[in-house]
Amino acid sequence: MENVLDQLKEEIKIAFNELFNYECDIENISIDVTPKNFEGFYTLVIFPHLKSLKSKPEDAGDKIGKYLISNSTVVSDYNVVKGFLNLDLSDSYFKFLFNKMKKSKDWWKSQKKDNEVMVEFSSPNTNKPLHLGHLRNIFLGDSVSKIFEAYGYKAHKVQIINDRGIHICKSMVAWKNFSNGKTPESEKIKGDKFVGNYYVKFETENQKQIKKLIEEGYSEDDALKSTPLMKEAINLLQLWENKDGETIELWNKMNGWVYNGFESTYKSININFDKNYYESDTYLLGKKNVEKGLKNGLFYQKNDGSIWVDLIDEGLDNKILIRSDGTSVYMTQDIGTAIKRFEDFPKIEKQIYTVGNEQDYHFKVLFKVLKKLNYKWADECYHLSYGMVDLPDGKMKSREGKVVDADDLVNHMIETAKTRTSDLGKVDDFDIENLDELYRIIALGALKYFLLKVDPKKKMLFNPDESIDFNGNTGPFIQYTYARIKSILRRANKLEISYNNFDINKIKELSIHHKKIINHLNSFPDIIKTSAKTHSPSSICQYVFDLSKLFNSFYQHEKIIDGNNNETTSFKIALSDLTALTIIQSLELLGIDVPERM
RNA sequence: GCGUUAGUAGUUCAACUGGAUAGAAUAUCAGAUUUCGGCUCUGAGGGUUGAGGGUUCGAAUCCUUCCUAACGCACCA
């Protein structure tokens, strides 16, 4: 009974043979999960075997169904629709599953594997505060690493911080020119917002200077490079690369402000990393490898000194790896970072990059280059590419300032949770501290679920009105189902109804609700597996939502604490308990907490 | 121009990777329960899966030609 699918296939193989004298390989027998709108749990598709069966699909299905009822240990009933044989399974099978799940707390976890994975996510620029797009990225990466943990891997959560380059120099120039020594402390704003403001300041002031130059007769291209501000920024980058003391000091100070700001955002959404990588630490290693590759004839050098890779044979393009002035590009540091990570963690089997789909091409190139450099793990690098988050009134454009700020959004969600919850008046006896925690749990549950339920690779629409909806396919709906079960369990305990030790075999008949819930619970490990293989938390969302709906339907149709206090009562309570545990575990994979009451 | 990805109820998303009558949620309408928590449950309407052609027992899914959209094609990151 441990694996019904295999068992059913074996039994069907025998049925084919005995009824139709048809030898069929077990691999050719396909059994699917029966769709919701049909009766049964598993379905045999008969069409592929028609030629060998030499009879109409309906007749064959009928014969096999009859045969299975009398010969199978798990099939209790069947129905045939066209060429599909739907099988109902026996109570004893579901009782067996129930006992198995009840016995071990970790029944749903995969066996520990010796290998590890690394998941990179978030990876912000140090000149911009986090926004809605980052949130999708962060929740995805965080969830995927948790899913891999449940699947048996050790997962390292890391981020790469783009702490170097012309962008941060622009912020530094603006601060030097326009701040009069102001600091986040003196202005009482978050460090990332503070620095971000100077980046914007640079852009607006620089635009004015460009305009002025064009009026003085510069061409547009020349004007872009010739403004006093831009010249100062370029100069600062050179000073930085030459490790000029004063420049490095300012750079450290401003990055420090930004990191403090990020840290407080991460804290507010319950996110942490095992290790940070900094571009400034890895770009030199990248350069070294590119030069090594050049020496080995893997890359080529143009007359101006720039170094390129030719990927035309692989269906890609020529791509620059090092500029003619010897400075590195984005690709260079990514090469260095990848190598460094496999040095730091020799046991990682694969590396997952959570980065938006506008960089699909970049990662194709990166993996090919690593492969050329003869790193065999290059094949195990995976770009977890996700679609943009669109807003109802058009796209987010950070340059136009049309962004949804992460901190603002979280606060807005918390406010909404507060209004909704206090309207219901069920938690009036909570003290302030618990209330604040409750609002936070609900708000983050709504937000994370909303962003995770869509298949990562697809773009998604963020509708603020719908994201704060707490009905239907939402995080709070699932949290509510959990809280409601806990309420039942509290009552059971108060009434001293024991539900840990009872003999399930004394129950005469399981209802369809019981069977469906047990069957659904049992599929949890499979869902985790596909979720890990497809790098997609959305299947976990679908799973836990369906579980909640199944439970609510059960709850509505059957009274759980029914006054009988017999084996069936205990079983129904225990089934509720098991459902609650599975809801917790599923939501944990999504990074979502649950409240005991709400 | 070239390349990549996508296009599914009014709207937001599914569809176990080629299986049935394409499912949920939401909105709308009709009902149930007001007893363990009404953020619950049951039902109805709503679709030529962007369009055409092909492959086969069978296509939203694979191939092909169009149409539309996003992204990419920098000595930017």
Side-chain angles (χ1 to χ4, degrees):
Chain A
M1 273 196 199
E2 187 54 49
N3 191 332
V4 247
L5 269 185
D6 288 349
Q7 187 179 336
L8 284 174
K9 284 181 187 174
E10 189 60 42
E11 288 172 352
I12 288 165
K13 179 186 154 85
I14 297 170
F16 276 154
N17 204 330
E18 291 202 1
L19 297 172
F20 303 94
N21 200 14
Y22 161 42
E23 276 290 341
C24 181
D25 279 349
I26 218 135
E27 301 89 67
N28 293 332
I29 299 176
S30 79
I31 294 187
D32 297 334
V33 172
T34 307
K36 281 180 225 163
N37 42 336
F38 292 93
E39 262 181 53
F41 289 93
Y42 289 104
T43 296
L44 170 72
V45 188
I46 298 177
F47 293 111
H49 308 284
L50 280 185
K51 275 177 196 152
S52 313
L53 295 174
K54 297 191 183 83
S55 53
K56 284 186 192 161
E58 289 87 347
D59 297 345
D62 206 44
K63 276 187 188 162
I64 299 166
K66 282 209 174 77
Y67 178 91
L68 288 176
I69 285 187
S70 37
N71 291 289
S72 164
T73 50
V74 289
V75 176
S76 64
D77 202 356
Y78 76 94
N79 64 82
V80 181
V81 183
K82 295 185 181 172
F84 299 89
L85 172 62
N86 301 321
L87 302 171
D88 204 348
L89 304 180
S90 65
D91 281 10
S92 59
Y93 168 66
F94 291 108
K95 287 174 180 172
F96 164 82
L97 288 184
F98 180 82
N99 278 334
K100 185 190 79 182
M101 294 186 285
K102 200 167 173 332
K103 225 169 30 201
S104 145
K105 256 192 127 179
D106 292 332
W107 64 271
W108 54 281
K109 281 189 183 164
S110 296
Q111 223 180 357
K112 275 260 170 290
K113 298 169 179 65
D114 195 34
N115 292 326
E116 305 177 353
V117 294
M118 177 171 282
V119 186
E120 174 196 297
F121 59 99
S122 189
S123 304
N125 276 332
T126 51
N127 57 340
K128 282 178 221 144
L130 300 170
H131 58 71
L132 177 56
H134 288 112
L135 290 182
R136 186 177 195 192
N137 178 314
I138 291 168
F139 296 155
L140 259 177
D142 186 53
S143 176
V144 165
S145 54
K146 290 184 161 113
I147 289 166
F148 268 92
E149 291 268 356
Y151 189 43
Y153 288 84
K154 169 151 186 53
H156 302 275
K157 294 181 285 183
V158 302
Q159 59 175 338
I160 176 87
I161 297 177
N162 296 298
D163 61 344
R164 166 208 96 81
I166 192 73
H167 57 274
I168 186 71
C169 291
K170 289 179 180 174
S171 305
M172 285 157 70
V173 167
W175 186 81
K176 280 173 114 172
N177 284 290
F178 307 110
S179 73
N180 296 318
K182 284 176 188 158
T183 65
E185 292 81 25
S186 74
E187 302 306 297
K188 298 203 167 47
I189 58 171
K190 281 180 75 218
D192 54 332
K193 301 267 161 62
F194 180 84
V195 173
N197 288 344
Y198 283 96
Y199 184 75
V200 173
K201 181 78 177 165
F202 178 94
E203 292 297 340
T204 49
E205 292 299 325
N206 195 41
Q207 282 303 322
K208 288 184 201 163
Q209 295 187 349
I210 291 171
K211 212 171 148 193
K212 201 171 146 210
L213 287 181
I214 291 175
E215 278 165 12
E216 286 169 8
Y218 278 76
S219 76
E220 206 180 315
D221 280 357
D222 287 344
L224 284 175
K225 294 176 202 148
S226 311
T227 61
L229 279 172
M230 197 58 192
K231 280 184 172 164
E232 199 180 337
I234 292 167
N235 183 42
L236 213 54
L237 183 59
Q238 276 160 3
L239 284 171
W240 184 88
E241 294 207 351
N242 295 329
K243 304 217 180 324
D244 170 64
E246 200 182 311
T247 307
I248 296 284
E249 195 185 321
L250 177 59
W251 175 73
N252 272 325
K253 183 159 82 176
M254 291 188 74
N255 273 340
W257 290 337
V258 174
Y259 300 153
N260 283 338
F262 285 164
E263 200 42 49
S264 107
T265 303
Y266 288 145
K267 213 173 163 190
S268 78
I269 54 177
N270 267 356
I271 296 291
N272 53 64
F273 296 89
D274 300 318
K275 188 171 168 67
N276 290 339
Y277 283 87
Y278 297 89
E279 187 186 337
S280 56
D281 287 337
T282 60
Y283 76 104
L284 290 174
L285 180 61
K287 263 182 166 175
K288 222 168 72 186
N289 271 272
V290 171
E291 278 150 15
K292 202 171 79 189
L294 179 66
K295 220 175 281 170
N296 295 338
L298 304 170
F299 310 136
Y300 67 97
Q301 193 160 29
K302 287 190 179 174
N303 289 336
D304 61 8
S306 56
I307 302 176
W308 296 71
V309 60
D310 179 352
L311 293 169
I312 288 175
D313 285 348
E314 335 233 354
L316 299 174
D317 228 327
N318 285 295
K319 200 78 193 166
I320 189 158
L321 299 178
I322 287 187
R323 293 194 191 98
S324 54
D325 64 0
T327 56
S328 60
V329 290
Y330 186 45
M331 187 69 71
T332 327
Q333 63 96 1
D334 262 349
I335 294 168
T337 307
I339 294 167
K340 181 112 196 336
R341 286 173 178 172
F342 278 92
E343 284 172 6
D344 289 351
F345 300 95
K347 281 174 89 175
I348 55 177
E349 172 188 306
K350 71 191 275 175
Q351 182 164 189
I352 297 167
Y353 292 85
T354 315
V355 182
N357 63 6
E358 73 270 18
Q359 296 195 32
D360 284 355
Y361 190 80
H362 171 79
F363 280 100
K364 272 187 196 166
V365 173
L366 173 65
F367 300 156
K368 295 265 195 241
V369 168
L370 289 169
K371 180 99 180 166
K372 265 187 186 290
L373 286 167
N374 209 19
Y375 291 103
K376 56 184 182 308
W377 42 257
D379 289 328
E380 306 304 328
C381 290
Y382 179 79
H383 175 204
L384 172 50
S385 163
Y386 62 91
M388 301 275 115
V389 183
D390 291 335
L391 296 173
D393 52 343
K395 289 174 36 203
M396 285 207 302
K397 282 258 165 68
S398 49
R399 277 194 203 132
E400 294 163 19
K402 251 174 84 176
V403 291
V404 178
D405 179 81
D407 298 318
D408 293 349
L409 181 58
V410 170
N411 289 333
H412 174 65
M413 298 294 286
I414 290 175
E415 278 310 306
T416 311
K418 197 170 174 175
T419 324
R420 299 271 181 143
T421 309
S422 44
D423 280 356
L424 289 165
K426 284 186 188 165
V427 288
D428 293 345
D429 57 329
F430 276 42
D431 56 40
I432 300 287
E433 221 169 274
N434 289 335
L435 269 182
D436 282 347
E437 182 57 14
L438 174 67
Y439 300 147
R440 217 173 68 88
I441 289 175
I442 297 174
L444 287 181
L447 188 56
K448 290 190 182 185
Y449 190 88
F450 190 88
L451 291 173
L452 287 175
K453 74 178 172 190
V454 180
D455 184 353
K457 64 175 175 286
K458 296 198 176 164
K459 68 170 198 281
M460 67 175 293
L461 188 80
F462 184 81
N463 187 325
D465 296 335
E466 276 174 33
S467 69
I468 57 171
D469 200 341
F470 292 174
N471 288 316
N473 191 358
T474 66
F477 170 83
I478 296 159
Q479 290 171 323
Y480 173 77
T481 307
Y482 174 83
R484 168 187 255 179
I485 295 175
K486 290 311 259 192
S487 161
I488 295 170
L489 295 178
R490 276 193 298 273
R491 202 172 118 91
N493 288 332
K494 215 165 156 191
L495 296 172
E496 295 181 352
I497 305 171
S498 145
Y499 53 92
N500 283 319
N501 291 305
F502 62 92
D503 185 0
I504 195 172
N505 292 317
K506 285 191 182 157
I507 295 169
K508 265 183 272 167
E509 197 181 4
L510 297 180
S511 73
I512 186 66
H513 297 289
H514 306 153
K515 287 186 180 183
K516 278 188 175 169
I517 290 175
I518 293 172
N519 186 56
H520 195 74
L521 289 171
N522 183 52
S523 66
F524 191 29
D526 285 341
I527 298 293
I528 292 173
K529 186 175 167 185
T530 50
S531 195
K533 294 212 155 152
T534 55
H535 307 88
S536 172
S538 63
S539 18
I540 305 280
C541 292
Q542 192 62 46
Y543 172 82
V544 67
F545 177 56
D546 285 339
L547 179 59
S548 301
K549 275 197 301 184
L550 283 177
F551 180 83
N552 281 326
S553 181
F554 161 57
Y555 171 92
Q556 194 72 21
H557 285 94
E558 298 181 26
K559 202 161 165 56
I560 294 170
I561 297 178
D562 52 12
N564 296 329
N565 293 8
N566 57 13
E567 302 290 336
T568 306
T569 315
S570 297
F571 164 71
K572 285 189 290 188
I573 299 169
L575 184 61
S576 307
D577 188 26
L578 200 53
T579 303
L581 284 173
T582 309
I583 289 177
I584 280 203
Q585 284 144 358
S586 310
L587 289 180
E588 213 164 80
L589 296 180
L590 304 171
I592 297 174
D593 286 336
V594 285
E596 297 298 300
R597 293 173 57 196
M598 68 188 278

